[in-house]
Amino acid sequence: YTAEHQPEGNSGGWQGQSRSRDVARTGQGGGEGNVCGIVGYVGKRDAAPVLIEGLHRLEYRGYDSAGLAVMHRGRLRVTKTAGRVQDLRDKLSGQTAKSTIGIGHTRWATHGEPNETNAHPHTDTAARVAIVHNGIIENAEQLRDQLQASGVRLVTDTDTEALAHMIAAELAEREDVTLEDAVIRTLHRVEGAYGLVVLDIKNPDQLVVARNGSPIVLGLGENEMFVASDVSALVRYTRQVIYLEDGEIATITASAYHTKTLTGTDNSDNKTPTTVDADAGDYELGEYSDYMRKEIHEQPDALRRALRGRLDDRFATARLGGINLDARQLRNIKNVKFLGCGSAYYAGQMGAALVEELARIPADAEPASEFRYRSPVVDPDTLYVAVSQSGETIDTLMAVQELKRKGGQVIGAVNVVGSAIGRECGHGIFLHAGPEVAVASTKALTNMAVNFALLALLLGRVRDMSAANGQRVVNGLRNLPEQVSRMLNAEDDIATIAHQYAAADHMFFIGRVRGWPVAREGAQKLKEISYVHAEAYQAGELKHGPLALIAREMPSVVIIPSDDLVAKNLSTIEQIKARGGPVIALTSTDIPEGLADATIRVPRAEPELEPILLNVPLQILAYHAAAKLGRDIDKPRNLAKSVTVE
C-alpha cells in the first residue's frame, strides 16, 4: 500500500502492491528481545564507519551490548563490547584496516547474560561465518545439544551461535554449496522468529539476509547495498528500500540483489523498491534533550499531515481512499472492532466511542493479544481495524492472519507503509505521524485517534448523519492542530504540577465514557516512563472497591470533558477529596475554583473530539514526572518500541 499524495495533500490512499513511486514512512520493530538492531553493508565505502553510524541510529531501541564484524584480507575482524555504541567506536578508533563489507548489531539479551562474549556477531569455530540475528529461536536448546553431541564447542549462551555453526557445517559438507543454500538448509531446521544477516569469508562480495517475524529491510545505493532492521539506520545513505516478507531470503552484492522464498521460489520480480519519505534529520534531536518531548511537540504538524486532503467540505465528510470500500460496502458494515496492543488498544477504545457516537454503529476495542487465543467468532459484516504504530506488532499481526483465515474484513491503521501488518491487510489507513522514536507513543497515538475520527465521520455520513452535523465535525477536526499548539504553550504549568506529584508512589486516573480511554492511556504513560504505579478506573467504579485506597499519599487525575456528565465528574472529585485524596483535574470546562488541588485546562473542542485533546496534557504530565525522577525517558526499562516476539 502507499500513502497517496495529491496536490492539495493526501487522501489517505493505501494500495496492496508497492510501486517504484510509492512513498513510505518509517517505523520500528524487531529484536532478539524485541529491540535489537541489525546493520549490514557491502559496497565501496569503509564498512566500519557505516555500520557504527547505523548502530547509532538504532540506539533508541534499547540494548545492552554492541558489536560488528568486517572482512579484511580474507579474515574476519570481530569487535564487541558490553557497553554502548560509543564504546564500540572507541575500540575501533586505533584500527586502520579498511573493509568494504560487514555486519553490526545492538543486542538486548534474551539468551545469556549481557556481556561481551554473548554480544553479536557470533562466529563458527573456524571464524569462517559471522552472523547477526534478531528474534528468538524456540528450539535453540535442542540445536545446541545436537551441536555439542557432534563435538562442537559452544562458547556463548546464545541461541544465535548455534546458527553460525550450523551454516558453517552446511558449507563444509560440499564445496558446491552456496552461502544462500547453506542458510536455507539451516533455517529449515529452525523454529521461531528471526531477522538475520550472514557473512562468509569465502564469499567476500555478498551478504545473505533472511526474515521470519522480525523486520528486515534492504537499502539500495549506487554500487552499494545496505541491510537493517529499521530504515532509520539507512536514510542517511539511501531512501530506496526493499522490505522482506516473512519466509523470504535475499542475497545482496554491491551492485545487485535477488530474493527467494525459503522453499526455493525466486520472487525477485515482485520486489519493487519503495521510496522512504524520511531523511536523517527526522531522527535528530535538534533542540530537544530526548525524543519523547520532541515528538510531543511535533503533534500539531503530525495532525496537519493526517488531515491534509482528507476533509471534504463539499459533502461534509472524510476521504479515506485507502480503505478501499465504496459507499454501499460502508453501509453494509454492522459492527466495527479495533484490535491493538498497549496505547494502540486505548486509541482503539477512543475510535470505538467515536464510531458509536458519530455513525451509530456498535463498536468496541479488544487487545489483539487476547483476540486470537479465544477462538473468536468472526462476523463477515464486522469491519476489523488492526492498529499498530510500527505495523510489526506480532500479536496484532497474528490477529490479522486469524481474521483472514476466517474470512474477516480487516483493514490496517499503521504508521509504516512497508510493515508486515500493512502488507498483510493490503489496505487501510496510513497514520502520517512521521517517524516515532521514543518507546512511549505520543504523536502516533494522537494520529490514531484523529484517523479514527475520520473513519467515524465517513461511516456516519453514508448513514444518517446530517450534512450540518458532518460539517461541525469537519470544522472541529480542522481546529485540532492549533488547539494542540495552545496546550503545548502551557507546558511549563503542567510541568510544575508534575514535579509537585512526581514523588507519589501510586496514582489513580479517573474517567467516565469519553474520559475512560483517556484515563487508561494517561495511566499507561505515567507508569511506563516514570515507573510510578498508576491505575485507571471508571468513575462509577470507585465506590465499588478502589475508593478504599484513597488517601493523602494517593493523587487522582480526574478527566472532565465538557459533556453532560460534568456534574457527575465533579461529584467524583468531592468523593475523593472527602477522603483526603489530592486531585488533579484535567478539564475542558469550567469547574468551581479550589475544588481540585491542581487544574489543567484544555481548549474546548467538539465534544466527540475532546478525548484527542485530553491525551496531550497527560503525555506532558508523565514526561515531566519522569524527568523529575531522572528516568531514561526514551528507553524505559524492560520495554521495546515494537514487540515482535511473544
Side-chain angles (χ1 to χ4, degrees):
Y1 64 94
T2 173
E4 218 173 70
H5 286 269
Q6 298 183 343
E8 77 277 14
N10 74 79
S11 66
W14 177 316
Q15 299 173 355
Q17 297 295 326
S18 295
R19 300 286 185 264
S20 59
R21 301 186 304 274
D22 288 357
V23 177
R25 279 197 179 269
T26 59
Q28 295 74 37
E32 183 185 64
N34 313 333
V35 289
C36 305
I38 281 177
V39 183
Y41 175 77
V42 55
K44 55 193 175 181
R45 307 176 196 246
D46 184 11
V50 175
L51 298 173
I52 288 290
E53 172 63 20
L55 295 178
H56 167 66
R57 295 287 177 182
L58 297 175
E59 282 193 284
Y60 68 86
R61 299 160 69 89
Y63 65 102
D64 47 48
S65 60
L68 59 80
V70 297
M71 193 186 311
H72 179 68
R73 294 182 178 177
R75 299 182 63 183
L76 284 177
R77 286 178 176 265
V78 180
T79 308
K80 302 195 285 189
T81 178
R84 313 304 287 175
V85 171
Q86 183 58 49
D87 299 324
L88 187 63
R89 192 194 306 268
D90 293 342
K91 277 193 169 186
L92 294 166
S93 61
Q95 297 186 17
T96 57
K98 305 294 184 184
S99 174
T100 57
I101 187 169
I103 55 179
H105 193 266
T106 51
R107 174 182 187 252
W108 183 281
T110 56
H111 290 76
E113 295 179 2
N115 56 37
E116 188 172 305
T117 300
N118 289 328
H120 295 216
H122 293 296
T123 69
D124 65 303
T125 304
R128 173 180 175 175
V129 169
I131 182 171
V132 291
H133 160 234
N134 290 354
I136 294 178
I137 304 305
E138 295 174 1
N139 62 335
E141 185 174 350
Q142 176 187 348
L143 297 174
R144 286 171 60 89
D145 289 344
Q146 291 172 358
L147 287 166
Q148 289 175 317
S150 67
V152 173
R153 179 175 172 269
L154 299 176
V155 298
T156 78
D157 301 317
T158 69
D159 52 350
T160 305
E161 185 191 1
L163 302 181
H165 289 287
M166 292 164 65
I167 293 168
E170 293 287 351
L171 289 167
E173 188 173 319
R174 291 205 322 262
E175 288 189 3
D176 62 342
V177 173
T178 66
L179 179 59
E180 181 179 86
D181 288 338
V183 173
I184 289 175
R185 291 182 185 185
T186 297
L187 293 179
H188 282 160
R189 298 169 57 192
V190 165
E191 298 172 8
Y194 53 78
L196 55 85
V197 188
V198 184
L199 171 64
D200 174 20
I201 61 174
K202 294 190 178 181
N203 290 277
D205 63 342
Q206 66 180 239
L207 297 173
V208 172
V209 187
R211 167 186 172 142
N212 186 50
S214 192
I216 288 288
V217 59
L218 311 181
L220 284 60
E222 186 174 342
N223 294 318
E224 59 184 353
M225 291 283 289
F226 307 83
V227 183
S229 51
D230 186 319
V231 294
S232 62
L234 308 180
V235 290
R236 180 173 178 178
Y237 304 104
T238 181
R239 292 173 59 196
Q240 293 292 305
V241 301
I242 296 285
Y243 293 95
L244 286 193
E245 307 262 1
D246 283 350
E248 287 186 333
I249 188 167
T251 298
I252 65 171
T253 64
S255 58
Y257 69 90
H258 73 263
T259 63
K260 63 171 57 175
T261 67
L262 288 177
T263 59
T265 302
D266 190 299
N267 61 355
S268 299
D269 291 342
N270 298 328
K271 292 296 183 185
T272 304
T274 298
T275 301
V276 177
D277 186 18
D279 55 42
D282 291 330
Y283 296 91
E284 299 291 347
L285 280 168
E287 64 185 278
Y288 298 99
S289 59
D290 43 60
Y291 285 102
M292 183 177 176
R293 185 161 180 262
K294 175 177 182 279
E295 288 157 10
I296 288 172
H297 282 263
E298 288 174 343
Q299 288 179 108
D301 286 340
L303 282 168
R304 292 185 185 99
R305 282 195 302 271
L307 295 170
R308 190 176 298 131
R310 287 173 163 174
L311 296 176
D312 185 338
D313 288 292
R314 180 182 179 187
F315 295 108
T317 187
R319 300 191 193 102
L320 289 174
I323 63 175
N324 201 30
L325 297 170
D326 61 27
R328 182 182 297 274
Q329 291 170 313
L330 291 170
R331 284 188 61 86
N332 287 336
I333 294 169
K334 301 296 191 292
N335 295 275
V336 179
K337 180 181 280 288
F338 295 86
L339 300 171
C341 298
S343 291
Y345 165 48
Y346 303 140
Q349 286 193 308
M350 297 174 205
L354 283 160
V355 168
E356 289 204 341
E357 287 192 82
L358 296 179
R360 306 307 298 159
I361 301 173
D364 68 344
E366 182 177 345
S369 56
E370 295 290 307
F371 179 78
R372 66 189 176 102
Y373 286 122
R374 63 173 183 81
S375 188
V377 176
V378 175
D379 181 356
D381 296 326
T382 295
L383 177 66
Y384 296 90
V385 184
V387 192
S388 169
Q389 189 284 134
S390 68
E392 302 286 349
T393 309
I394 188 66
D395 293 304
T396 309
L397 176 60
M398 297 302 285
V400 169
Q401 293 172 347
E402 176 77 2
L403 282 166
K404 293 186 72 175
R405 276 194 296 270
K406 294 185 173 182
Q409 182 176 208
V410 58
I411 64 174
V414 303
N415 197 39
V416 187
V417 167
S419 63
I421 293 170
R423 294 194 305 271
E424 190 75 35
C425 291
H427 52 274
I429 305 169
F430 184 45
L431 299 181
H432 284 289
E436 188 177 69
V437 174
V439 167
S441 183
T442 52
K443 62 179 182 175
L445 172 117
T446 298
N447 274 33
M448 287 173 190
V450 81
N451 276 289
F452 297 157
L454 290 167
L455 177 62
L457 173 61
L458 178 62
L459 290 170
R461 286 291 289 129
V462 298
R463 284 175 169 76
D464 300 325
M465 178 187 280
S466 68
N469 204 19
Q471 192 60 51
R472 174 184 66 83
V473 176
V474 167
N475 294 339
L477 287 165
R478 188 173 282 120
N479 291 335
L480 288 177
E482 177 56 33
Q483 290 173 319
V484 171
S485 293
R486 285 163 54 191
M487 286 188 290
L488 295 176
N489 291 334
E491 180 179 9
D492 289 346
D493 295 335
I494 300 172
T496 299
I497 296 171
H499 294 167
Q500 182 180 352
Y501 293 99
D505 292 326
H506 312 277
M507 289 187 73
F508 275 166
F509 286 73
I510 310 298
R512 288 177 185 270
V513 189
R514 292 179 184 137
W516 167 230
V518 177
R520 299 193 75 182
E521 169 59 19
Q524 167 100 340
K525 279 292 166 289
L526 184 69
K527 57 191 167 191
E528 71 180 327
I529 64 167
S530 74
Y531 316 149
V532 173
H533 174 241
E535 295 290 341
Y537 284 101
Q538 292 156 312
E541 289 296 302
L542 270 182
K543 56 185 173 293
H544 296 290
L547 206 58
L549 295 175
I550 295 295
R552 187 173 290 105
E553 300 78 22
M554 173 77 82
S556 296
V557 178
V558 180
I559 291 93
I560 313 172
S562 56
D563 54 21
D564 55 3
L565 298 174
V566 171
K568 289 188 177 295
N569 283 318
L570 296 181
S571 175
T572 297
I573 294 179
E574 296 280 10
Q575 292 177 46
I576 296 170
K577 295 290 292 180
R579 289 155 180 84
V583 171
I584 302 167
L586 173 61
T587 181
S588 57
T589 190
D590 294 328
I591 65 172
E593 192 72 31
L595 177 63
D597 297 272
T599 302
I600 301 171
R601 300 189 183 278
V602 304
R604 182 171 294 188
E606 294 303 325
E608 301 91 340
L609 304 179
E610 282 193 352
I612 300 172
L613 294 180
L614 289 164
N615 278 303
V616 177
L618 297 183
Q619 297 169 357
I620 299 171
L621 186 78
Y623 171 85
H624 284 284
K628 177 71 172 178
L629 295 169
R631 309 303 192 207
D632 188 348
I633 292 173
D634 285 338
K635 299 187 285 289
R637 67 190 183 200
N638 306 328
L639 299 179
K641 182 63 183 171
S642 175
V643 180
T644 60
V645 294
E646 287 194 282

